[in-house]
Amino acid sequence: MNPSLRSQLLGPLLWVWLLGVVVAAYGAFRLASYAGDTAYDRSLQDEASAIATQIYWTDRGPLLELSTQAQQLLARHSSDRNAFMVIDAAGNILAGSGDLPLPQDRSGSFDAPEVFDAMYGQEPVRGAMYSIRSPMLETYVTVVVIETKRKRSDLVREVQLAILVPTVLLGSLTFVLLAWGIRRGVAPLARIAGEVERRDPRDLRPLPLEDVPAEAVPLIERINTLLGNVARSVELQRRFVADAAHQLRTPVAGVRVLAQQLQQELRGAGADRGTQALLQVLVGSAERMSRLIGQLLNLARSESALRNLASGELQPIDVLPVIREAAEPLLLRADSEGKQVSLEAPDQAWARAHPVWLGEVVSNLLDNALRYGGRSIEVKVETQDAGVVIQVCDDGDGIPEAQGELIFEPFWRGDRADVREHEGTGLGLAIVKEVVEGMGGRIRVASRPEFDGTCFTVELRG
């Protein structure tokens, strides 16, 4: 299945947006980590420096006196776990906790407080170390201040949420607006596709260009050009069939009359059986050709007459007189062939139909039943809320299920030898389908095993 235009437009934008979300998340993490590390590291360094200012050197060594201000500075991050330690060069604890971690290299901490990462109590901590040399003695002390990374992690999450939530919301809103805009943009194409789907196969009018996007106008114009070419080709074919049938009708009728007259004269002159058999074949061929030409004319006329005739322009008529008039010539033929035709109908049945072409429908359906059906033929007419239903049913051998739609194709007469032996033209049911659909109706066929024989159902609108 081909991808839709919307998916092709939104797909790349989705990947760009997802990439932007990933970049924004990484950027937010890096920004929050940098901001947190910078701020909190400076706070640790200030704490280490503040404690270092409280160290006094005496003859006996260093002395630590923490002021109230220093104690408040150490305790200000109440949500974090803070601790400090002061040790001398020999590793003796002068103040604070004695188990705080220390980095191996202390050389850089004599110039300024130095920060480091470590583990304390199975929890990652960040520390600051500051070493002070004695001005009188060859010794030094080291101040270590540590805190957990809880507040740093909270800051990173807050900054990430502050960046990602608006990004996701704005991106979602953008996608909704883009999807709405694209759907609105392709709506004319969907409307044209629906109109083409609903159109009758004979409707070759140009497609409308109103509200069609500029990018799609050349495509619709090419389709309209193609429809115009097809319409002209179909019209030429119809005109050729009608003209050819009309031109052939007169000479074929003359050949048939002459063949019949010659048959009668030779029969009276005592012609031999071989000659009479040949003349019988000639007369039969002339009659079949005459019927074929008549059917071709009817098909061309029905296509031309009903092509622009909408069902709304048809006037309601009582279809029963039309059916009886169309069936009357075929009743004599049915009697001569030993077949029975029955009619079951109400007193009146009104439907929108063309009387001439409705008569052609009934005549062709009855002719088809007499040729290929059984001995009993039923014509039923029923009135419904939506219109009138006409059924022509027989008790013949039926139609194979695979050939149910093929019977409406022009010149199709079936594959069975017993069917092809009949002198049909293969155009009767094609004319029926053309006329019924031209009048806004519908035709269906049912056969074995659904129906015991064959039954054609014509539905006309009321």
Side-chain angles (χ1 to χ4, degrees):
M1 184 177 180
N2 294 333
S4 65
L5 181 60
R6 277 183 288 182
S7 64
Q8 294 185 32
L9 293 175
L10 289 176
L13 295 177
L14 176 61
W15 286 110
V16 171
W17 179 70
L18 290 176
L19 179 62
V21 170
V22 173
V23 172
Y26 178 77
F29 175 77
R30 297 295 300 174
L31 176 63
S33 299
Y34 175 77
D37 288 343
T38 301
Y40 286 104
D41 286 352
R42 185 172 298 173
S43 175
L44 284 174
Q45 291 171 333
D46 290 342
E47 291 178 6
S49 298
I51 295 175
T53 60
Q54 304 302 312
I55 297 177
Y56 300 96
W57 295 94
T58 64
D59 295 340
R60 294 176 296 178
L63 179 63
L64 177 62
E65 293 183 0
L66 284 177
S67 64
T68 304
Q69 181 181 3
Q71 293 177 5
Q72 293 176 349
L73 182 64
L74 290 173
R76 67 178 180 173
H77 298 305
S78 57
S79 61
D80 258 339
R81 180 183 176 187
N82 289 13
F84 80 98
M85 176 180 68
V86 180
I87 60 174
D88 59 14
N92 298 317
I93 306 300
L94 301 180
S97 303
D99 58 346
L100 298 187
L102 283 172
Q104 295 294 330
D105 185 13
R106 306 184 190 179
S107 59
S109 63
F110 288 94
D111 299 328
E114 188 178 44
V115 294
F116 63 91
D117 290 311
M119 293 294 295
Y120 180 63
Q122 298 182 348
E123 186 175 4
V125 295
R126 184 79 166 173
M129 179 178 62
Y130 189 25
S131 300
I132 305 173
R133 296 184 184 274
S134 171
M136 298 177 294
L137 305 173
E138 291 296 329
T139 186
Y140 65 90
V141 294
T142 299
V143 178
V144 178
V145 179
I146 66 167
E147 68 178 4
T148 59
K149 296 184 177 182
R150 299 169 189 169
K151 296 192 70 174
R152 297 170 187 250
S153 300
D154 293 341
L155 177 62
V156 171
R157 285 194 296 270
E158 290 174 2
V159 173
Q160 284 181 318
L161 289 176
I163 294 177
L164 290 179
V165 171
T167 301
V168 172
L169 292 178
L170 182 60
S172 301
L173 179 61
T174 302
F175 261 89
V176 170
L177 294 177
L178 284 174
W180 174 79
I182 294 174
R183 181 176 181 180
R184 184 184 178 200
V186 301
L189 299 180
R191 175 176 53 81
I192 291 176
E195 180 178 342
V196 172
E197 184 178 3
R198 292 187 298 270
R199 275 191 180 187
D200 188 272
R202 296 180 298 271
D203 190 353
L204 298 176
R205 293 173 300 164
L207 299 175
L209 292 174
E210 291 79 4
D211 301 327
V212 174
E215 293 80 3
V217 169
L219 174 62
I220 304 301
E221 289 178 343
R222 300 299 184 277
I223 294 176
N224 287 339
T225 301
L226 178 61
L227 289 174
N229 294 335
V230 172
R232 285 190 291 272
S233 177
V234 171
E235 182 60 30
L236 287 175
Q237 292 179 10
R238 287 172 176 166
R239 190 175 302 170
F240 171 78
V241 171
D243 292 344
H246 182 74
Q247 293 298 327
L248 289 173
R249 190 173 190 178
T250 299
V252 168
V255 169
R256 185 183 59 159
V257 171
L258 291 175
Q260 291 174 347
Q261 185 177 357
L262 181 60
Q263 184 183 34
Q264 293 176 359
E265 291 179 357
L266 290 179
R267 184 183 295 117
D272 58 75
R273 292 184 178 180
T275 303
Q276 293 184 9
L278 290 176
L279 286 175
Q280 183 64 34
V281 173
L282 177 61
V283 171
S285 299
E287 290 179 351
R288 284 195 298 273
M289 185 176 295
S290 178
R291 281 198 302 272
L292 176 61
I293 292 174
Q295 292 282 48
L296 284 173
L297 274 175
N298 287 337
L299 180 61
R301 289 169 179 171
S302 68
E303 291 176 347
S304 177
L306 297 172
R307 181 175 44 190
N308 299 320
L309 186 60
S311 60
E313 299 174 357
L314 295 169
Q315 298 298 322
I317 63 171
D318 186 1
V319 301
L320 293 180
V322 177
I323 294 175
R324 291 190 177 95
E325 182 179 354
E328 185 175 353
L330 296 171
L331 295 179
L332 298 176
R333 173 181 156 191
D335 289 338
S336 64
E337 296 177 0
K339 297 183 179 182
Q340 181 179 1
V341 179
S342 61
L343 173 63
E344 179 181 338
D347 295 336
Q348 288 183 333
W350 292 80
R352 294 183 180 273
H354 192 285
V356 175
W357 295 114
L358 178 58
E360 187 71 20
V361 168
V362 175
S363 177
N364 278 287
L365 289 178
L366 283 174
D367 179 75
N368 182 79
L370 289 173
R371 289 181 184 277
Y372 308 110
R375 317 244 352 138
S376 177
I377 301 171
E378 294 182 349
V379 180
K380 298 179 181 180
V381 181
E382 296 180 359
T383 59
Q384 297 180 351
D385 294 338
V388 172
V389 176
I390 304 172
Q391 289 184 322
V392 178
C393 307
D394 63 70
D395 57 352
D397 295 331
I399 303 171
E401 184 177 357
Q403 301 176 2
E405 292 297 327
L406 295 176
I407 60 175
F408 295 108
E409 296 294 330
F411 300 106
W412 192 89
R413 297 177 58 200
D415 299 328
R416 296 191 344 236
D418 60 334
V419 172
R420 300 188 64 86
E421 286 176 358
H422 293 279
E423 298 178 353
T425 62
L427 290 175
L429 294 179
I431 294 174
V432 169
K433 181 177 176 63
E434 183 79 19
V435 170
V436 170
E437 292 182 351
M439 294 188 299
R442 188 174 64 142
I443 183 169
R444 294 180 287 109
V445 60
S447 192
R448 300 178 187 273
E450 180 184 355
F451 182 82
D452 189 16
T454 302
C455 186
F456 290 90
T457 302
V458 176
E459 300 176 358
L460 298 176
R461 302 177 63 182

